Amino acid sequence: DTEVTQTPKHLVMGMTNKKSLKCEQHMGHRAMYWYKQKAKKPPELMFVYSYEKLSINESVPSRFSPECPNSSLLNLHLHALQPEDSALYLCASSHDRAEAFFGQGTRLTVV
Amino acid sequence: QKEVEQNSGPLSVPEGAIASLNCTYSDRGSQSFFWYRQYSGKSPELIMFIYSNGDKEDGRFTAQLNKASQYVSLLIRDSQPSDSATYLCAVRRGGNKLTFGTGTQLKVEL
């Protein structure tokens, strides 16, 4: 089983809203990732959690706030987003330094 | 210089032919290499990974790594229309930072 589950699949939010993206895996992976992908561009790394601690923050604006409540869950809290933040948000997980498996993504539209 | 470079394509090959996708990387400390396939509107799907110099085969797919030349490739034999997608090369230096190339669009024509 190489399943990473992301919810919701689609999200439309206003610029004053607060919302959260959720990601879950039960593969025992201890590294979890958030990527952002714009159309016709490669995935762009945002955050990495390793053993439930934030290990990489790629200078992401503070309106994006990650959280790793336990080894199976990863959240991305969104607040005061801009229309240019509209993108596909991808969660991935891996064993430490190994191949990463992606969830199906959340298609986010900011209006 | 970009960390991971790929020709954006499109690369067009006839059905049944071999498709050859190439990727170069700039950091000599890179340790592991991955190929993902991404259909339009979908998430990346892991196809192959390779850690050591040489070839690694899995079904119709062969990954090739040459660390001296900082070059990794993916060969797809007997290409099918269902192989039409964007192929992303990804490189990990160490730790958990996985960096992607811009991807190569492959079109397999009937």
Side-chain angles (χ1 to χ4, degrees):
Chain A
D1 182 12
T2 56
E3 189 167 337
V4 178
T5 303
Q6 288 187 245
T7 56
K9 289 189 169 34
H10 300 274
L11 177 63
V12 178
M13 63 184 289
M15 289 188 283
T16 58
N17 291 161
K18 285 185 181 180
K19 296 287 185 183
S20 297
L21 309 185
K22 297 185 183 300
C23 176
E24 187 170 6
Q25 58 87 15
H26 295 287
M27 295 177 277
H29 291 168
R30 301 312 296 269
M32 296 187 76
Y33 313 73
W34 281 115
Y35 281 86
K36 172 183 177 180
Q37 188 175 26
K38 303 281 271 185
K40 299 192 185 301
K41 297 289 187 183
E44 182 181 332
L45 183 64
M46 300 174 73
F47 303 104
V48 181
Y49 273 83
S50 179
Y51 292 85
E52 298 155 56
K53 290 188 177 2
L54 183 64
S55 62
I56 297 176
N57 177 341
E58 291 288 279
S59 302
V60 178
S62 60
R63 58 186 183 268
F64 296 92
S65 176
E67 178 195 20
C68 189
N70 60 53
S71 60
S72 299
L73 294 174
L74 185 66
N75 298 323
L76 185 63
H77 303 298
L78 313 173
H79 173 56
L81 295 193
Q82 303 298 310
E84 58 264 31
D85 295 321
S86 299
L88 180 66
Y89 287 83
L90 295 161
C91 174
S93 70
S94 73
H95 288 299
D96 197 26
R97 308 183 186 188
E99 62 276 15
F101 296 93
F102 283 83
Q104 295 306 299
T106 294
R107 177 79 54 191
L108 174 68
T109 303
V110 181
V111 297
Chain B
Q1 184 182 11
K2 291 182 181 176
E3 291 184 61
V4 183
E5 296 205 53
Q6 296 180 255
N7 188 321
S8 61
L11 171 66
S12 293
V13 299
E15 185 178 4
I18 295 175
S20 178
L21 304 161
N22 303 316
C23 172
T24 58
Y25 59 94
S26 60
D27 189 339
R28 285 196 171 274
S30 298
Q31 297 179 348
S32 46
F33 308 85
F34 308 88
W35 283 100
Y36 288 84
R37 177 175 64 197
Q38 188 171 27
Y39 293 112
S40 180
K42 302 295 186 182
S43 64
E45 174 191 7
L46 181 69
I47 298 296
M48 294 283 290
F49 59 90
I50 186 166
Y51 299 152
S52 304
N53 275 332
D55 294 0
K56 179 180 179 182
E57 186 175 320
D58 184 1
R60 296 187 297 113
F61 300 97
T62 299
Q64 299 175 315
L65 175 61
N66 183 325
K67 288 188 176 181
S69 300
Q70 295 175 244
Y71 175 95
V72 58
S73 65
L74 178 71
L75 301 178
I76 306 174
R77 288 181 298 281
D78 188 24
S79 295
Q80 301 297 310
S82 58
D83 295 325
S84 297
T86 295
Y87 288 80
L88 296 160
C89 173
V91 173
R92 192 196 295 280
R93 185 182 191 279
N96 282 317
K97 183 172 181 177
L98 188 63
T99 302
F100 285 84
T102 52
T104 297
Q105 185 184 5
L106 173 66
K107 293 185 176 181
V108 180
E109 297 167 333
L110 295 170

